[in-house]
Structure formats: structure tokens, C-alpha cells
Amino acid sequence: MRKIIPLLALFLLISNTYASAEVLKTDTDPSIAYHQAWNIVNQEYYDSKFGGEDWYAWKDKFVGRLKNSRDCKGALFTMLSSLRDPDTQLKLSNAFKFRLPDDAFEAGIGVSLAMNKKDQVVISEVFKGYPAEESNKIKVGAILIAIDGEDVQDLAKEVVGYRLRGKSDTTVSIMLADDSGEPYTVTLRRKALPVNEIVCVEQFGDVGYIYGRETNKNPANEMKKHLAMLKSCKKIVLDLRCMNGTSSEAILDVASIFAEKGKYLGSVWKQNGLTMYTASGGSLNGAKLAVLIDSETEQAAEMLALVLKESCGAILVGEPSAGRGRIVKHFELMDKEEIFVTVAKFLTTKGNEINRGIEPDVRISGTEFWQSSNDGPWFRSVFHKISLADKQFNEAIKSLSVGQSP
């Protein structure tokens, strides 16, 4: 009983907080969205015991009491707060780090997004051969205002990116603002986008460099292929900066090909139980390994960095990671509320959880890796061409050359 009383009080507090806000217009019974959220957590939450919380007690707790979207929002906040999991929550502000759902559409307009200095979502890159570039109307630095008539200015860039996506050959209407601040609208037809884990593979003498972005459907096979291309290299630098990934299994499959065969890599805790992973091994061919990380290395990418450090002796170079080792999925409810649910948790070889940033073995700032143009955009180019001018990459090579061990 002592658990329930403060939560009910919290519900009343949240309801009052939203009393002055405009109630969202919806034809949906607010209780439907509440029960939808309850079912999502019931089916997806990583801990089948819900941290000791009686989850079924929440199913009908607010029956007959949810009159509008304000009430629904308060109830959702209260219910999710009962799990005492900071990553499982109702979207209340843009401060939360959004994550794409695993089944995000693979068709879009061919752009990369970033946040500028004013916390606005902007176009950071336009890719050749895709609708945005072919229209000749979308330029780097343009500010995203609305998508299909819905304002997106208060959304995080990941959610904006998700809403730009859709089924191939469907249209999307985008309102943007140029440098003058003058808004304009462009309608584009979405085109299938490539899903390729490996974005950049280069060789510098006996040093091989691999840069990865997001997790695709079979990243382990991609990694094997590119390691084979670099088989003459005595040193490998894997760049995980600005990378997240939402598939713990795919990331551990990647780690598996680096470590010695049969070596324990760690465990993934999901609702259906604990799965232990061991390495298949054999793809490094005796090369030394360094991994570049930074404050935007998070979730599955953090898992990969830590596994490679503990299981392969990799040297971590750069800045502390984000400290978000849990895998979080984003769900949109029928009334357009959004919730985030922890669907998996990674445990290291020592049974520890990643709940704080991973400290690099060699700590060095990477300011040159950021680009700017006047007052914006201020962003990291994910399709950069690596060079020795990159201080962190250069330091990784030095660390491998002197044989530093973690």
C-alpha cells in the first residue's frame, strides 16, 4: 500500500499540472490509449517481474476516471513511473533521448538531420541520387517546421527523421525555413534507402579504419566482409562515435567475430529470459584493435565497445560514452502520445550493467570532428572522410603502435 499512495498523489499532481494546458483534440477514448500503453509494456518490458510491481493492478486502475487527454497523460505518467525505470517513460519534453523503433521504414527522402545551436532540427546532409537532392529545393541548414501539416518543431531529430520515412513511393509534404527564415513547402516521393552498416572503410598503410552508423539487418556479415578487405592490416580502428543502434543481438553478433572462439561476451536480459553470448571468432587475424567512442556512443554501440574491450583487449579512445546501455524503443499511441519502453538490458562478462558512461583508456577531445557554418548548422557529419587530422583517430593509431593495453 505504501507504494500506491504516493503514486496516486503524483497522478493528481500531474493532472493539475496539465489543467492549464490545452486539451488535445482527439476522437479516441482516452482509456484506449492508456490500455494500449499498458499492453505495450506488458509485452515488451525487459523485466517480466516489472521490478516487483504488480503490473496487472494498473490495467484497470483508472477505469471510468479518464475523461480527456489531460487525464490520460497524467495516468500514463503515473503508471510508467511505478516501474522506477528512468528510460521507460511518457514523452514530456524534447530533453529525452528519442530512439527509433526497430521496424522503422526503410524509404525516405535521402537526408541526414542534426540539431543546430538554437536546438532546431536542420538538414545536415543531402545525399546524391535521392528525392531531396533531385528536387534541388532542400539545402543543408534548412530548418524543419512541419511534416504532412503537423508541427515538428518540438520533436527530437530522431522522431522527425522517423516521420520523414514511410513506405516506398508514398509522398511526404515538408515545410522548411531557409536562412532568411521564410517558410516554404516541398512535396517529395519517398525512395527506398540502403541499409548498410559499414559507411566508410579505408586503409592507411598497416592501419585499417571502419566507421559504422546504425545497425542493419545483418551487420556481422558486413563486418566480416570489410575485415577481409583489411586482412593485411596489423591495426584496426573501429569508429563508434555518434552511433547508437537498437538491436543488442545484432551488435553481439558483430562482437562475436572479433573475439577468440568460444569466449564469453556477455548476456542480454529480455522479457523471455537471459541469453548468453559466446564468440565465433577468427576475423581479426591477430591485428590489434582500437575503438573510438564519444558522448553520443550509446545503447547497443556502448555494448559493442565494452565487449570489445573486455573480450578482445581493445583500446578505447576518445571521450566517455553516454551511459545508456539499456535498449529503449519508441511507441506512438492512438491519441499521438508517445512512450518509451526499456526492452532489453545488457550485462557485461562480469554481470555489470552499463548505467554510466564508459571511460576511454585514452581520453582525448575530438573538437575537429564537428563542423559549423556561421550560426548553424552545428553538426557532426556522419559521412565524413577520415584523415590523420582527426585527433582521436591519430591518437588511436599511436596507442596501437606503442602496444598500450587497457
Side-chain angles (χ1 to χ4, degrees):
M1 190 63 180
R2 280 178 293 179
K3 288 184 180 180
I4 301 299
I5 291 175
L7 289 172
L8 291 177
L10 183 59
F11 170 64
L12 294 175
L13 175 61
I14 294 300
S15 296
N16 289 334
T17 299
Y18 290 104
S20 60
E22 181 181 354
V23 177
L24 296 176
K25 295 180 180 179
T26 177
D27 295 330
T28 304
D29 179 349
S31 65
I32 294 178
Y34 176 86
H35 285 105
Q36 183 187 8
W38 184 91
N39 277 305
I40 288 171
V41 174
N42 190 52
Q43 295 171 17
E44 300 280 350
Y45 193 61
Y46 78 98
D47 182 2
S48 60
K49 295 184 179 179
F50 303 97
E53 184 68 24
D54 182 358
W55 190 245
Y56 274 86
W58 287 97
K59 186 175 183 180
D60 298 316
K61 180 172 289 294
F62 299 109
V63 170
R65 297 168 58 186
L66 306 182
K67 307 301 183 184
N68 51 45
S69 62
R70 182 189 66 217
D71 292 345
C72 180
K73 188 174 288 189
L76 286 171
F77 185 93
T78 306
M79 176 177 68
L80 297 176
S81 296
S82 73
L83 295 169
R84 295 170 177 79
D85 177 350
D87 291 324
T88 298
Q89 59 172 281
L90 174 70
K91 174 213 160 185
L92 290 178
S93 72
N94 199 38
F96 184 80
K97 282 273 191 176
F98 293 87
R99 286 290 147 250
L100 290 178
D102 288 341
D103 59 351
F105 290 113
E106 293 167 2
I109 63 170
V111 296
S112 184
L113 305 179
M115 305 297 289
N116 65 13
K117 291 180 178 180
K118 298 178 181 179
D119 285 333
Q120 297 167 308
V121 180
V122 299
I123 303 293
S124 61
E125 198 144 2
V126 179
F127 305 129
K128 189 174 182 179
Y130 289 93
E133 187 262 346
E134 291 171 349
S135 74
N136 201 32
K137 295 180 179 178
I138 297 183
K139 307 296 183 184
V140 170
I143 301 167
L144 276 294
I145 298 175
I147 297 173
D148 288 332
E150 293 193 15
D151 193 326
V152 296
Q153 295 179 89
D154 291 328
L155 300 181
K157 64 181 176 67
E158 290 86 353
V159 176
V160 175
Y162 176 52
R163 292 187 176 179
L164 284 173
R165 299 181 187 182
K167 293 182 179 180
S168 184
D169 211 36
T170 58
T171 58
V172 58
S173 177
I174 311 158
M175 179 179 287
L176 307 102
D178 56 22
D179 292 339
S180 68
E182 197 66 32
Y184 63 96
T185 300
V186 180
T187 299
L188 302 175
R189 189 170 295 276
R190 296 181 178 99
K191 181 178 179 180
L193 302 172
V195 281
N196 190 354
E197 170 74 14
I198 308 302
V199 175
C200 178
V201 180
E202 295 193 36
Q203 185 168 346
F204 299 81
D206 67 343
V207 178
Y209 171 84
I210 302 174
Y211 181 81
R213 279 188 75 200
E214 299 282 342
T215 301
N216 73 359
K217 294 178 179 178
N218 203 337
N221 283 348
E222 287 289 314
M223 188 65 76
K224 283 182 181 179
K225 180 174 68 176
H226 291 287
L227 283 173
M229 291 171 54
L230 301 172
K231 63 182 179 181
S232 64
C233 295
K234 302 298 181 184
K235 311 176 189 73
I236 299 292
V237 178
L238 177 62
D239 194 344
L240 299 183
R241 294 175 293 184
C242 199
M243 179 177 172
N244 46 73
T246 57
S247 172
S248 51
E249 291 87 351
I251 283 293
L252 285 168
D253 284 343
V254 171
S256 174
I257 66 177
F258 283 92
E260 182 182 342
K261 187 174 181 178
K263 196 158 191 177
Y264 175 55
L265 301 175
S267 303
V268 174
W269 182 7
K270 286 189 171 183
Q271 191 174 101
N272 59 0
L274 196 67
T275 303
M276 302 175 71
Y277 287 82
T278 56
S280 59
S283 295
L284 261 184
N285 299 316
K288 295 179 181 179
L289 179 65
V291 178
L292 300 179
I293 62 173
D294 67 2
S295 61
E296 293 186 51
T297 303
E298 59 182 9
Q299 295 201 57
E302 284 183 287
M303 291 167 47
L304 179 57
L306 189 57
V307 167
L308 294 178
K309 174 183 170 70
E310 292 188 356
S311 303
C312 308
I315 302 170
L316 304 187
V317 179
E319 299 167 287
S321 65
R324 294 178 57 82
R326 295 182 176 186
I327 306 302
V328 180
K329 284 180 66 175
H330 159 256
F331 299 89
E332 188 167 314
L333 305 180
M334 292 180 66
D335 66 349
K336 298 189 179 181
E337 294 291 353
E338 296 167 85
I339 64 171
F340 303 87
V341 179
T342 303
V343 297
K345 183 167 73 170
F346 173 68
L347 302 175
T348 72
T349 55
K350 299 178 181 178
N352 298 319
E353 180 185 356
I354 302 175
N355 52 18
R356 63 180 64 185
I358 301 170
E359 187 67 33
D361 302 301
V362 180
R363 187 165 181 167
I364 180 170
S365 172
T367 51
E368 280 95 355
F369 203 52
W370 293 83
Q371 302 179 11
S372 64
S373 174
N374 300 323
D375 291 329
W378 183 262
F379 61 88
R380 178 178 315 221
S381 174
V382 293
F383 284 93
H384 70 286
K385 184 174 177 63
I386 193 67
S387 75
L388 295 177
D390 184 321
K391 289 195 303 182
Q392 293 171 329
F393 176 52
N394 200 24
E395 192 64 35
I397 296 175
K398 289 180 182 178
S399 299
L400 290 172
S401 298
V402 300
Q404 176 175 340
S405 58

